[in-house]
Amino acid sequence: MLRNPIHLRLEKQEAWQHVIFMASLCERMYPNYQLFCVQTGFGDPAVYRRILDLVWETQVVKDAKVNFDLQLEKLEECIPAADDYDFYGVYPAIDACVALSELLHSRLSGETLEHAVTVSETSIRTVAMLEMTHAEREMTEEQLNALPSIEEEWDIQWEIFRLLADCENRDVELIKGLRADLREAGISNIGIILQQ
């Protein structure tokens, strides 16, 4: 799948930076899941939203306690099965759930780097799959990397990475600001607009 130097650079960041990076990408994938739920009546976007909010809370509230095992169980009940739907929208919804699942697994295992790379790859794969679906053909990595949508996704990931890299210590105000900016933008990695 599409690789990027950001995956090597993530190694230089600390666990809390990985968590915020993953939460940011999940925030950008949330509208994909929300739209799928609205269109199909499956699942509950509020569950995804609450779980993601709890992760953010652990990064800004000192001593916040969250049962991540329980959150993972709740999330697993909300993941659609690709075989149950015959339209494209199920795939970005599944990717959003996979990303949030990776984030929760990182909180349970304490291993954040490999999960951060997987979330990054999942987000870019969602964009690549949309492009290939529109084009009705497979594309090489070179062809995909030449697309503006792929370039934009990498740019946003790098922007989040750099913002976090500039912080030597956990900056609660920066984290709150990043979360607020992503929510306010209300647009997903594939251009889905958040339903209010």
Side-chain angles (χ1 to χ4, degrees):
M1 197 53 212
L2 292 161
R3 303 287 301 165
N4 191 279
I6 197 171
H7 299 145
L8 293 173
R9 299 276 176 82
L10 282 164
E11 289 177 18
K12 296 176 173 62
Q13 291 197 330
E14 292 181 34
W16 72 267
Q17 291 165 312
H18 295 154
V19 171
I20 297 303
F21 180 76
M22 289 186 277
S24 297
L25 297 187
C26 287
E27 200 65 61
R28 294 191 66 242
M29 297 173 87
Y30 168 67
N32 302 337
Y33 181 73
Q34 184 201 40
L35 180 64
F36 173 79
C37 293
V38 168
Q39 287 178 332
T40 63
F42 173 87
D44 182 358
V47 172
Y48 190 108
R49 172 82 274 147
R50 271 194 305 274
I51 294 169
L52 187 51
D53 285 347
L54 286 171
V55 173
W56 282 109
E57 191 177 309
T58 63
Q59 299 305 300
V60 295
V61 177
K62 198 174 161 73
D63 302 325
K65 298 274 187 271
V66 174
N67 181 337
F68 288 112
D69 269 319
L70 179 62
Q71 300 313 314
L72 193 55
E73 280 176 35
K74 289 179 182 177
L75 176 63
E76 284 167 355
E77 291 169 15
C78 296
I79 301 174
D83 293 345
D84 293 347
Y85 300 92
D86 61 355
F87 73 106
Y88 165 78
V90 69
Y91 298 104
I94 291 170
D95 285 347
C97 293
V98 165
L100 186 54
S101 173
E102 288 290 331
L103 176 51
L104 292 175
H105 279 291
S106 80
R107 306 310 296 136
L108 288 165
S109 69
E111 295 294 320
T112 55
L113 176 61
E114 66 184 66
H115 293 291
V117 170
T118 302
V119 172
S120 167
E121 289 172 342
T122 301
S123 187
I124 202 75
R125 184 182 64 227
T126 306
V127 180
M129 289 298 292
L130 177 66
E131 290 292 351
M132 290 190 282
T133 300
H134 281 318
E136 296 181 354
R137 65 185 171 88
E138 288 288 318
M139 292 187 199
T140 65
E141 189 167 333
E142 196 176 354
Q143 290 169 323
L144 285 166
N145 276 323
L147 298 172
S149 59
I150 296 286
E151 207 173 291
E152 184 182 337
E153 174 61 17
W154 284 132
D155 286 350
I156 290 170
Q157 289 195 23
W158 274 104
E159 200 177 309
I160 294 165
F161 171 85
R162 283 190 202 97
L163 194 64
L164 295 168
D166 289 343
C167 289
E168 286 184 24
N169 300 307
R170 188 190 314 238
D171 181 335
V172 171
E173 291 312 308
L174 178 127
I175 294 168
K176 287 179 178 176
L178 179 58
R179 177 176 65 175
D181 288 349
L182 290 165
R183 288 216 188 138
E184 208 173 284
I187 190 156
S188 83
N189 57 343
I190 56 170
I192 302 297
I193 294 176
L194 191 63
Q195 310 286 307
Q196 296 302 329

